[in-house]
Amino acid sequence: MSTNQDIIDRDLAVLWHPCTQMKDLAKLPPVPMRRGEGVWLEDFDGNRYIDAVGSWWVNIFGHANPVINDAIKSQLDTVEHIMLAGFTHEPAVALAERLVRISPPGLDKVFYSDNGSAAVEVALKMSFHYWRNTGHGEKTRFINLTNSYHGETLGALAVGDVSLYKKTYEPLLLKPLTARSPDCFHREPGVSWAEHSRACFAEMEALLAEHAHETCAVIVEPLIQAAGTMRMYDPVYLELLREACDRYGVHLIADEIATGFGRTGTMFACEQAGTGGISPDFMCLSKGITAGYLPLSVTLTSNTIYDAFYDDYENLSAFLHSHSYTGNPLACAAAIATIDEFERRDQLTHNVALAKRMHDATAHLADHPHVAEVRQTGMVMAIEMVQDKSSRTAFDWRERRGLRVYRHGLTRQALLRPLGDVMYFMPPYVISPEQIDHLATVVTEGIDIAAST
């Protein structure tokens, strides 16, 4: 039987981990996971951990979910993969039908790829190419928000705004126009989320007024800037943005990679804007689409966009973008089973009670001397740790206080991977109220330890 140390030694000899300074692993080695079940992960030495972050926000129905397991096993006996250029298969068609049915109105076509960054790349290229096909080749730019994140490939990275990921590669990137984020952490005392988000829209309006003639699309993460330390804003901003994009003739790209599939309280965050939600011109989905089982992403768009590419071959207006594993049948089967689980469990209704328990379990932290804000949108809870509460002065980032909370969590059966000094819960929906209470206790202990040492 392998032990944790056996796997760690083998790992450090050959693996280069993502989003990691590898020198850190000499002192804080990776945790080798042997198996998972529900919210639990278990290492080779028998230690167990609640997966409070959904394994990078992908796991929504627990590890080793029997329904999704069976769907993948069944598909495996039929066909494991077939290229989607010139061929098709039932899982790809069935999933596309389901996605069109559950997504906002007007998103009628599904383009498959295999990860979130790729879905964003597709939307960027498709928007630019649409304008080119329709005689507007002058439209070559994109508008983003401060503190936004849309992935690590060069196009997706270019339209993000988190310096930690982007700064090194600036010489390689296209240059977006950037509007102030409606992030409500920065609102003045006594100002509501809606008032602050509405006021922030003035800058976006000004950019559109000046640059619409050269702009392909605005790209936003609806309601939550996830990698931007889980900063949140009011749905009114999306309502205003949809209206302005229509008025100025600019596409709207909704990056729902992190916010889709129930994370914000509705199936998609865009549904919360206005009285009946908004429909973007492009919606990018990944992460929870397969409940964390297999890589898959989609870019949904309208028939209007699709029709601009529908032409005789010799006119060379087709969208010639592809990935080898596009529409993989196993991944599509997992995604169909994931949507089935939402319906079978009435999960969105159940999440209302879970979200309230998360709120109640962490409410005491609002008065903590080293917590600037406890914020929540649906099943996403974030706790921002600071040096001084009254001035909201942050700790020196080099002190890595959040990492201390993470290390404490590992001693208390909790996998809490912070974003800087922001602790957050984004757990599988199969978590119990008692497990939520435990996470709240552990994060409180961790903040006390991290802030005092």
Side-chain angles (χ1 to χ4, degrees):
M1 286 288 291
S2 296
T3 65
N4 280 359
Q5 194 59 54
D6 293 334
I7 302 299
I8 290 167
D9 291 343
R10 291 167 58 194
D11 174 291
L12 296 180
V14 294
L15 281 184
W16 192 340
H17 287 258
C19 206
T20 300
Q21 171 49 259
M22 292 300 293
K23 190 173 182 180
D24 282 352
L25 300 186
K27 293 182 178 179
L28 185 61
V31 183
M33 295 303 180
R34 183 178 71 88
R35 64 184 299 272
E37 183 177 2
V39 299
W40 291 102
L41 293 166
E42 183 179 312
D43 68 21
F44 283 79
D45 292 346
N47 303 303
R48 297 207 306 161
Y49 313 89
I50 297 173
D51 187 357
V53 298
S55 292
W56 249 351
W57 323 339
V58 300
N59 191 294
I60 57 178
F61 286 121
H63 299 277
N65 178 287
V67 172
I68 303 172
N69 284 359
D70 288 346
I72 295 172
K73 290 173 185 175
S74 177
Q75 182 59 44
L76 193 59
D77 289 332
T78 305
V79 60
E80 80 298 336
H81 184 64
I82 184 68
M83 66 180 180
L84 213 59
F87 294 84
T88 191
H89 53 81
E90 202 276 337
V93 174
L95 175 58
E97 291 170 338
R98 297 286 290 278
L99 290 171
V100 167
R101 191 154 63 244
I102 67 173
S103 63
L107 295 174
D108 305 306
K109 290 294 187 291
V110 173
F111 192 98
Y112 289 115
S113 43
D114 52 17
N115 65 80
S117 294
V120 170
E121 297 279 348
V122 167
L124 298 175
K125 290 175 65 177
M126 204 176 274
S127 176
F128 163 79
H129 202 162
Y130 168 87
W131 293 117
R132 182 177 182 273
N133 280 355
T134 56
H136 296 281
E138 72 278 6
K139 285 179 171 279
T140 61
R141 304 194 72 179
F142 295 89
I143 297 176
N144 67 353
L145 296 175
T146 57
N147 194 46
S148 56
Y149 175 89
H150 300 287
E152 299 287 359
T153 51
L154 292 180
L157 190 63
V159 294
D161 188 59
V162 179
S163 178
L164 177 66
Y165 307 110
K166 183 175 180 178
K167 185 176 181 180
T168 300
Y169 307 102
E170 286 279 6
L172 304 178
L173 305 178
L174 60 86
K175 308 299 180 186
L177 300 159
T178 303
R180 178 189 177 191
S181 168
D183 167 14
C184 289
F185 182 78
H186 296 297
R187 71 192 187 282
E188 294 295 326
V191 174
S192 71
W193 279 35
E195 291 168 335
H196 177 80
S197 297
R198 185 181 290 275
C200 287
F201 188 74
E203 191 169 325
M204 175 65 76
E205 176 84 32
L207 276 178
L208 285 168
E210 183 177 356
H211 296 283
H213 68 283
E214 61 177 333
T215 298
C216 298
V218 177
I219 182 169
V220 297
E221 303 158 273
L223 303 189
I224 304 174
Q225 294 186 304
T229 63
M230 298 295 171
R231 292 289 177 84
M232 302 175 184
Y233 62 93
D234 192 85
V236 69
Y237 192 90
L238 298 177
E239 185 179 1
L240 295 170
L241 182 58
R242 175 69 278 178
E243 187 277 330
C245 285
D246 287 341
R247 182 159 32 93
Y248 287 105
V250 170
H251 290 148
L252 174 57
I253 301 172
D255 175 355
E256 292 237 22
I257 291 160
T259 58
F261 295 96
R263 285 295 186 191
T264 66
T266 47
M267 184 63 84
F268 303 109
C270 284
E271 296 174 40
Q272 297 182 39
T275 55
I278 62 154
S279 295
D281 299 290
F282 302 90
M283 178 180 282
C284 303
L285 302 174
S286 191
K287 291 193 182 293
I289 193 170
T290 67
Y293 268 77
L294 289 164
L296 179 70
S297 65
V298 302
T299 306
L300 290 107
T301 192
S302 67
N303 281 328
T304 299
I305 303 294
Y306 173 85
D307 288 345
F309 295 84
Y310 193 86
D311 201 356
D312 295 326
Y313 179 82
E314 57 267 26
N315 289 331
L316 299 178
S317 53
F319 188 61
L320 301 180
H321 181 104
S322 63
H323 297 269
S324 298
Y325 284 94
T326 291
N328 174 262
L330 299 175
C332 289
I336 293 167
T338 297
I339 296 171
D340 287 342
E341 282 288 79
F342 271 101
E343 296 173 357
R344 184 179 70 86
R345 295 168 175 266
D346 191 16
Q347 192 63 54
L348 294 177
T349 300
H350 182 57
N351 282 358
V352 172
L354 290 177
K356 184 179 186 304
R357 188 62 167 252
M358 288 169 62
H359 172 272
D360 293 347
T362 57
H364 64 281
L365 286 169
D367 298 322
H368 195 286
H370 292 289
V371 172
E373 182 177 64
V374 181
R375 53 184 174 268
Q376 182 178 13
T377 298
M379 286 295 291
V380 183
M381 164 73 69
I383 303 154
E384 186 138 345
M385 184 169 61
V386 291
Q387 181 178 340
D388 182 77
K389 184 183 187 72
S390 60
S391 64
R392 290 190 163 185
T393 302
F395 285 106
D396 186 328
W397 64 270
R398 290 164 293 192
E399 295 175 356
R400 305 179 76 178
R401 302 282 178 143
L403 187 63
R404 302 179 196 185
V405 180
Y406 165 75
R407 298 183 75 156
H408 172 72
L410 293 179
T411 70
R412 294 277 280 122
Q413 294 191 314
L415 174 57
L416 297 162
R417 181 183 170 90
L419 291 159
D421 289 340
V422 175
M423 273 43 68
Y424 68 92
F425 300 161
M426 211 164 170
Y429 304 151
V430 296
I431 194 167
S432 71
E434 293 74 23
Q435 288 163 343
I436 290 172
D437 292 345
H438 177 70
L439 291 177
T441 298
V442 173
V443 80
T444 302
E445 296 169 351
I447 291 171
D448 288 339
I449 292 167
S452 64
T453 56

